[in-house]
Amino acid sequence: MDRRKFIRNGSMTGIGLTAVGSWSRIGAGAVGNNASKITAALNLEEITVQELQSKMKNGEETSVSITKAYLERIKEIDKAGPMLNSIIELNPDSISIAESLDLERKKGKIRGPLHGIPILVKDNINTGDQMMTTAGSLALVGNRAKEDAFVMKQLRDAGVVLLGKTNLSEWANFRSTHSCSGWSSRGGQTKSPYILDRNPSGSSAGSGSAGAANLSAICIGTETDGSVVSPASVNALVGIKPTVGLWSRTGIIPISATQDTAGPMTRSVQDAAILLGAGTGADEKDPITRESTGKSQKDYTVYLKKDGLKGKRIGIEKSHLTGNPDLVALLRSAMSVMETQGATMVEVDVMTPLKLLGTAEYQVLLYEFKDGLNKYLGSANGKVKSLKELIAFNLENEKKAMPFFKQEILIESEAKGGLDSKEYLDALSKTMGFRKTILDLITTSKLDALSGITNGPACCIDLVNGDYDNGPSLSTPAAITGFPHITVPMGLFHELPIGLSFYAGLYTEPLLISLAYSYEQASMKRQRPGYRSVVSLE
């Protein structure tokens, strides 16, 4: 989740940077050239799922050769070169998985569009294999899940090759009010491949950085408030936060039962649509997924329509049309593209009713985090079995577990009561009321979707002071309501990517995918990272 959202809304009163300096002497762009030599037989830069499938179908490549190429690229870019540090653990079984999928292909069995495709998933998603699931915390080192998370089972059934786990903001950025996104005590600091002194945003920082750097075909992140769409935005990716309930949360280390979800992080809307369908499915262990029955789909690619914006009314957050002139210019340019595609722009105000919620969302998360985490830890194989034990572990291992920032949020959560507490129920009622406010706005203004700037530019890595307010954001309204939210690249701001958001009511993924695809194809704003050491003065 993006902790800055709470600061802005009034809801909250591995590696260092030495590698940046040493690598910057090589010069920006050197990594791209180096990687092309390593994978000369297979150019992985910006390659799509469809292109990889085509190469496997005509015999140019196999799942094994593709997997090996990605592993070599990870070795050269993530663990050497600029040292992005986006991957916390590699899967020792990835080659054998690819071999078995190649054998199936030889026998004529193709599971679908993800058959043999390498993928990276965030290290708070259970994988029933040799890898650990730790949420980046030293307290969970040794936690090997007995079985896959439900969504991971769905993806394996679809034929993915799990390359490894990505680093994240520890405990999904729900540990301290002074955290630096992309840092965990187990994994260290992840860096942005665009500007190496910037963090890739939280908490799915590793998935954002790895996806942007083409370290896997596709990535999975998780979100409570902004943690899919924010790192997608600042890494020029397409990110989809699904409707809460479209993807199961079983087996994912939780923050909030009402807001948590995993979601796709890819380099194109098409790949995101492919991945979204593969992850759907009702799960008896996650009751909210029952609501997706008859509303979820296995193929969202049918909604990839270049004329998806034609005749649509899009509500633009009016507060995003003031402020930093360069950001405003990017948004107005995007609005012009949408109008050219036949859409009508309507200015709306979502932020005023959002501010009226005060601390309600944060209070809900504090209560639900304690309840959900205690249940998860009780059956996990880590060093702690409860939130209380986690806090004690961090204190006993403070030099390693908390060298830069502490655990105020964990302590505040532990002090809360149960989910029958009046404070929790009142806060939950307020947030549910906000859902009606947004739906009423969409209805009365006759809108198809709401839009605006997904997130400001990536923050500088600052392990002393932590993250800072980096400008406008549109993640919180969709997060609180449980509505789906998609971000697509909108352009660069001083060489740093900025995303454009679309969100609407529950289970409107087909509509949002058509809007995002129409904009993406008309604008084509995704740009590869330059691995620069600092923002250029030129």
Side-chain angles (χ1 to χ4, degrees):
M1 72 174 300
D2 194 332
R3 180 184 47 75
R4 291 186 300 275
K5 304 302 182 296
F6 293 114
I7 296 173
R8 186 153 52 239
N9 295 329
S11 298
M12 274 193 183
T13 27
I15 68 170
L17 293 181
T18 53
V20 175
S22 61
W23 188 80
S24 66
R25 291 192 295 270
I26 299 173
V31 168
N33 296 332
N34 190 32
S36 65
K37 293 177 183 177
I38 294 165
T39 59
L42 176 57
N43 184 4
L44 295 173
E45 294 285 353
E46 303 301 289
I47 200 164
T48 67
V49 167
Q50 189 176 53
E51 288 167 341
L52 289 171
Q53 286 295 351
S54 178
K55 288 180 181 296
M56 287 188 282
K57 181 178 180 179
N58 64 28
E60 285 182 63
E61 302 289 344
T62 63
S63 182
V64 168
S65 69
I66 293 169
T67 299
K68 287 181 176 178
Y70 275 117
L71 290 173
E72 190 63 29
R73 186 176 177 86
I74 289 168
K75 178 181 176 182
E76 294 298 326
I77 293 179
D78 200 59
K79 306 307 178 188
M83 270 180 98
L84 295 179
N85 201 43
S86 66
I87 297 170
I88 203 167
E89 187 172 1
L90 288 172
N91 185 5
D93 300 321
S94 60
I95 298 298
S96 62
I97 294 170
E99 288 173 342
S100 66
L101 290 166
D102 281 337
L103 183 59
E104 286 186 11
R105 186 181 292 272
K106 286 182 181 179
K107 293 180 179 179
K109 179 182 178 180
I110 306 295
R111 300 190 185 196
L114 292 179
H115 189 108
I117 301 295
I119 186 173
L120 289 165
V121 303
K122 189 176 177 181
D123 181 40
N124 61 348
I125 300 174
N126 281 353
T127 56
D129 50 27
Q130 297 186 63
M131 292 187 292
M132 294 182 284
T133 304
T134 69
S137 173
L138 294 178
L140 280 187
V141 169
N143 178 38
R144 290 180 174 82
K146 297 176 183 177
E147 61 179 358
D148 284 339
F150 182 89
V151 70
M152 196 63 237
K153 290 178 183 177
Q154 298 295 89
L155 297 177
R156 287 199 205 261
D157 287 345
V160 302
V161 176
L162 180 55
L163 282 176
K165 298 283 192 77
T166 55
N167 196 21
L168 69 161
S169 307
E170 188 171 320
W171 295 111
N173 235 354
F174 207 66
R175 198 190 93 178
S176 170
T177 56
H178 302 289
S179 65
C180 180
S181 290
W183 184 92
S184 71
S185 58
R186 180 187 173 208
Q189 179 66 52
T190 298
K191 295 181 287 186
S192 165
Y194 287 87
I195 308 291
L196 296 169
D197 71 350
R198 303 275 170 156
N199 75 60
S201 192
S203 66
S204 304
S207 294
S209 180
N214 290 271
L215 301 186
S216 73
I218 46 184
C219 295
I220 299 289
T222 67
E223 174 165 330
T224 302
D225 187 333
S227 286
V228 164
V229 295
S230 177
S233 174
V234 305
N235 288 286
L237 297 176
V238 174
I240 299 179
K241 181 199 84 73
T243 299
V244 173
L246 187 68
W247 276 20
S248 167
R249 288 85 53 82
T250 300
I252 300 176
I253 298 175
I255 292 180
S256 166
T258 55
Q259 293 185 198
D260 286 352
T261 181
M265 298 175 70
T266 67
R267 291 178 295 276
S268 70
V269 176
Q270 182 179 46
D271 283 357
I274 291 171
L275 186 52
L276 182 67
T280 61
D283 171 17
E284 62 180 19
K285 294 182 180 179
D286 187 359
I288 197 171
T289 62
R290 296 173 193 159
E291 298 176 11
S292 71
T293 302
K295 302 169 186 173
S296 68
Q297 301 185 36
K298 282 298 180 183
D299 184 8
Y300 287 92
T301 63
V302 296
Y303 302 104
L304 299 172
K305 301 176 181 178
K306 288 188 176 181
D307 64 350
L309 283 161
K310 187 176 181 180
K312 299 298 190 294
R313 285 174 58 86
I314 307 298
I316 299 293
E317 172 52 45
K318 68 177 185 179
S319 66
H320 291 189
L321 295 171
T322 60
N324 188 297
D326 292 331
L327 287 178
V328 172
L330 278 179
L331 179 56
R332 289 201 176 277
S333 177
M335 292 168 64
S336 178
V337 170
M338 289 189 279
E339 287 173 332
T340 300
Q341 295 303 303
T344 299
M345 303 292 107
V346 180
E347 291 187 24
V348 296
D349 180 10
V350 173
M351 292 305 159
T352 296
L354 178 65
K355 291 176 183 177
L356 295 176
L357 285 179
T359 67
E361 180 195 14
Y362 182 50
Q363 295 304 317
V364 168
L365 301 193
L366 288 172
Y367 277 95
E368 293 184 349
F369 179 70
K370 179 181 179 180
D371 179 75
L373 189 64
N374 280 336
K375 289 174 182 175
Y376 180 89
L377 293 176
S379 59
N381 298 311
K383 301 176 179 66
V384 298
K385 292 295 180 181
S386 67
L387 175 56
K388 184 177 181 179
E389 289 185 14
L390 169 61
I391 292 169
F393 175 91
N394 286 340
L395 287 172
E396 291 167 6
N397 299 273
E398 189 166 5
K399 288 186 178 180
K400 290 183 178 180
M402 301 190 295
F404 302 112
F405 50 88
K406 305 308 176 185
Q407 55 179 347
E408 314 90 80
I409 297 175
L410 301 187
I411 293 170
E412 195 173 356
S413 179
E414 174 59 24
K416 296 298 183 182
L419 298 186
D420 57 350
S421 301
K422 184 178 186 301
E423 183 183 43
Y424 168 72
L425 295 173
D426 288 347
L428 184 63
S429 177
K430 276 189 175 183
T431 59
M432 290 300 100
F434 181 70
R435 175 186 293 186
K436 183 178 184 303
T437 298
I438 298 301
L439 287 175
D440 287 347
L441 173 62
I442 292 172
T443 300
T444 56
S445 299
K446 298 179 180 179
L447 303 174
D448 291 284
L450 297 161
S451 182
I453 298 170
T454 305
N455 206 66
C459 292
C460 291
I461 293 171
D462 188 341
L463 292 169
V464 175
N465 298 302
D467 292 342
Y468 48 83
D469 187 339
N470 61 341
S473 170
L474 210 58
S475 67
T476 298
I480 292 175
T481 57
F483 294 167
H485 182 180
I486 185 168
T487 180
V488 62
M490 184 168 61
L492 296 182
F493 171 75
H494 298 297
E495 303 162 346
L496 293 165
I498 302 292
L500 175 70
S501 283
F502 296 97
Y503 69 101
L506 299 173
Y507 299 103
T508 56
E509 282 84 357
L511 166 67
L512 299 183
I513 286 169
S514 70
L515 298 177
Y517 184 74
S518 179
Y519 173 76
E520 174 196 56
Q521 295 300 301
S523 61
M524 299 303 287
K525 293 295 185 179
R526 158 77 188 168
Q527 291 190 40
R528 289 161 49 182
Y531 306 93
R532 298 180 183 275
S533 58
V534 294
V535 172
S536 173
L537 298 178
E538 297 178 359

